[in-house]
Amino acid sequence: MTTLAPLKTTKPLPQSGQPRVGVLLVNLGTPDTADTRGVRVYLKEFLSDARVIEDQGLIWKLVLNGIILRTRPRAKARDYLKIWNTEKNESPLKTITRSQSDKLGAMLSDRDQVTVEWAMRYGNPSIKSGVDALIAKGCDRILAVPLYPQYSAATSATVCDEVFRVLARLRAQPTLRVTPSYYEDEAYIEALATSIETHLASLSFKPELIVASFHGMPKAYVDKGDPYQDQCVATTEALRRRLGMDETKLLLTFQSRFGFDEWLQPYTDKTMERLAKEGVRRIAVITPGFSADCLETLEEIAQENAEIFKHNGGEQFSAIPCLNDSDPGMDVIRTLVLRELQGWI
């Protein structure tokens, strides 16, 4: 005989007044603390997701628990300490995502029925806590906003998976919408171009070229049908058109390889080494796939790759900040949210 687990019942929605619409901004995630234990907890959750590491078989579990979680957290904790927001005792990603949520809430303050929360796919605040907070405020409709311009199963899809898991436990479910990727959105491309132009104007040197570095992905995932690579290419081509550059002045690369499988190429670190050895002395790097600065942009690009470039003969390197909670960046999020809220507000 099959036994059905009881579904949780949420508190009844208010019977008077206009039902509220919730917006949940979601980014990748962060350790709660910049120490070995905090990073180990974070990495275990992250690397145990079958969207991130698709083969979660016995061999992977042995490697994860027997090797990776015993060695990698200590090294990554040192990297997090290099960029940690010591004033708030949190990662920059958490600081920036909170600010994005606060600013979006202020931008939508003239729409009384809308409330905004934020969450992380891995770590805290969790997606469950964000959904619970919106429901507690009377939201019977929720727009989930994965903060990834380019779609991939390992980012956007796993956000949806977790939102669906949270809703699956509820008896009284809110209606759900999810924003699509916005890799070619006019507001997004314009914001990127503006950020590049503003940053370059502030430099004491003129870069010979710009590298657009996106987070990497195993090539096998794309071979199976993930559209991520095509969307990264489309973003780069749109940005080239807007800036009047060709592929020799705005290069596309992929960073953050992990493991021994082939990942999307060209690799960012190898490109930095090659360019410097070929005589390029001044360079700027933008990371269009990240909506907020994080370990991969502030440490891996601005520090590690800068060192690779200079070690091989490069002289001047500048990392262009992500859109973050800047005015252009917030215009992108606001445009995306208002577009997807049509018919609800």
Side-chain angles (χ1 to χ4, degrees), residues 90-271:
E90 63 187 22
S91 74
L93 181 65
K94 183 174 286 188
T95 304
I96 294 166
T97 307
R98 180 192 297 109
S99 180
Q100 289 171 326
S101 175
D102 291 344
K103 288 188 176 184
L104 181 63
M107 296 171 86
L108 300 179
S109 61
D110 58 332
R111 295 164 171 83
D112 295 337
Q113 73 273 38
V114 177
T115 186
V116 181
E117 293 285 346
W118 62 285
M120 296 291 175
R121 171 59 185 90
Y122 312 103
N124 294 299
S126 67
I127 288 176
K128 181 182 184 302
S129 70
V131 171
D132 287 348
L134 291 173
I135 292 176
K137 293 177 180 179
C139 297
D140 66 352
R141 287 163 291 178
I142 293 176
L143 173 67
V145 186
L147 290 172
Y148 311 110
Q150 297 78 26
Y151 172 95
S152 80
T155 54
S156 306
T158 192
V159 167
C160 294
D161 291 345
E162 184 61 19
V163 173
F164 297 153
R165 275 191 287 268
V166 170
L167 295 187
R169 303 185 188 106
L170 303 179
R171 183 176 298 278
Q173 292 182 335
T175 300
L176 178 69
R177 288 181 181 174
V178 181
T179 56
S181 57
Y182 50 99
Y183 61 99
E184 282 184 307
D185 188 277
E186 183 177 349
Y188 164 64
I189 298 300
E190 183 61 30
L192 289 177
T194 299
S195 72
I196 291 173
E197 292 168 343
T198 301
H199 185 80
L200 296 187
S202 71
L203 297 178
S204 60
F205 66 95
K206 183 178 180 180
E208 296 165 59
L209 54 82
I210 299 171
V211 173
S213 179
F214 294 82
H215 199 286
M217 171 184 288
K219 183 177 180 296
Y221 292 10
V222 172
D223 293 341
K224 293 175 183 178
D226 200 297
Y228 177 70
Q229 183 179 26
D230 287 343
Q231 294 190 5
C232 293
V233 170
T235 295
T236 306
E237 290 178 344
L239 194 53
R240 285 171 181 156
R241 290 192 296 271
R242 165 58 179 80
L243 294 171
M245 295 181 174
D246 61 20
E247 62 276 6
T248 66
K249 293 299 182 182
L250 179 58
L251 282 60
L252 164 65
T253 63
F254 295 95
Q255 64 185 84
S256 309
R257 298 194 307 284
F258 178 78
F260 300 101
D261 294 334
E262 181 182 358
W263 281 48
L264 297 179
Q265 297 189 42
Y267 300 139
T268 299
D269 54 357
K270 298 299 184 184
T271 300

